[in-house]
Amino acid sequence: MSTRSLSTVVWIDVAAQALIEEETLKRSRVETGGALFGYTTDHDVVIACAYGPGPRARHRRTTFEPHPATTQSLIDAIWTESEARYRYVGSWHSHPGGIPRPSGTDVKTTEAVATEPHVGLAQPVVLIQSTRRHEDRVELADARAWRWSRHDVWLLPCELVAVELEERYCPLVEVPGGRLRGSEVLSPRVGG
Ligand SMILES: [Zn+2]
């Protein structure tokens, strides 16, 4: 067993996992991603909700840039509407045709989140969904979860386990440019 393991288990609700898989396949030529919400226990992280990128994120072949104001809208709305049961626990993104291991950019981006005081998230989770080409189509490959270690100043691998939560609260959230229900973008509310 590796001594560089955090002994963290990341539990992910099956609906959140399905959202990540569907969104990844929908944009199979570029990276995509989104925010993850749930809660933490002593050692473990429970992901209850995954969101898609929203309308303003930037997708490229080997990078994904979430739209910061979209992430902030989700953080605020989910905290309030879940009555503080769910908080921001990290993010997910895809590695098309790659391996589910953090790139140098992923490490730098996560360190920036971990040290950003107003985010209040010292040990962000990063979930990476990879894909591979099979004949003429793209299919899902491994997904892995990583968690920031302040001690190691690096992302360490976690065990990722799918689970069916008894309840989950993943509301429709107003974000810049529309409303986000999972990975589905609805048009902005008229006349708000
Ligand atoms: Zn990456």
Side-chain angles (χ1 to χ4, degrees):
M1 190 190 275
S2 164
T3 52
R4 282 180 55 79
S5 167
L6 258 188
S7 73
T8 294
V9 178
V10 174
W11 304 89
I12 182 165
D13 180 67
V14 289
Q17 184 182 46
L19 181 145
I20 290 169
E21 293 176 353
E22 281 162 26
E23 171 64 26
T24 295
L25 288 176
K26 202 169 79 190
R27 279 184 240 252
S28 63
R29 290 166 182 278
V30 291
E31 287 197 11
T32 186
L36 300 171
F37 296 88
Y39 48 93
T40 54
T41 63
D42 286 348
H43 286 293
D44 296 352
V45 178
V46 179
I47 298 168
C49 308
Y51 279 79
R56 303 257 164 103
R58 302 176 75 162
H59 305 264
R60 295 210 178 82
R61 177 68 189 81
T62 58
T63 57
F64 168 67
E65 280 176 49
H67 183 245
T70 297
T71 308
Q72 195 60 48
S73 301
L74 289 166
I75 291 172
D76 295 344
I78 292 163
W79 173 257
T80 307
E81 293 187 29
S82 74
E83 294 172 337
R85 278 179 297 168
Y86 292 173
R87 56 170 63 228
Y88 182 50
V89 294
S91 64
W92 72 274
H93 68 279
S94 63
H95 280 180
I99 51 171
R101 185 174 297 161
S103 66
T105 308
D106 292 338
V107 172
K108 263 191 269 173
T109 310
T110 310
E111 182 172 21
V113 171
T115 53
E116 184 72 66
H118 77 254
V119 179
L121 177 60
Q123 293 182 281
V125 167
V126 175
L127 191 156
I128 302 175
Q129 172 70 60
S130 66
T131 65
R132 62 173 161 246
R133 289 203 79 82
H134 179 72
E135 291 167 1
D136 59 348
R137 52 192 189 86
V138 173
E139 60 181 29
L140 295 168
D142 288 345
R144 294 248 177 87
W146 306 79
R147 195 179 190 199
W148 186 255
S149 161
R150 285 205 280 184
H151 177 262
D152 294 83
V153 197
W154 203 255
L155 281 162
L156 300 188
C158 303
E159 194 182 342
L160 180 65
V161 184
V163 63
E164 195 165 349
L165 297 178
E166 277 175 22
E167 58 161 15
R168 60 185 85 85
Y169 191 65
C170 312
L172 172 70
V173 177
E174 200 105 26
V175 298
R179 287 170 298 154
L180 204 51
R181 183 168 60 202
S183 62
E184 188 189 0
V185 180
L186 308 174
S187 43
R189 183 169 287 147
V190 178

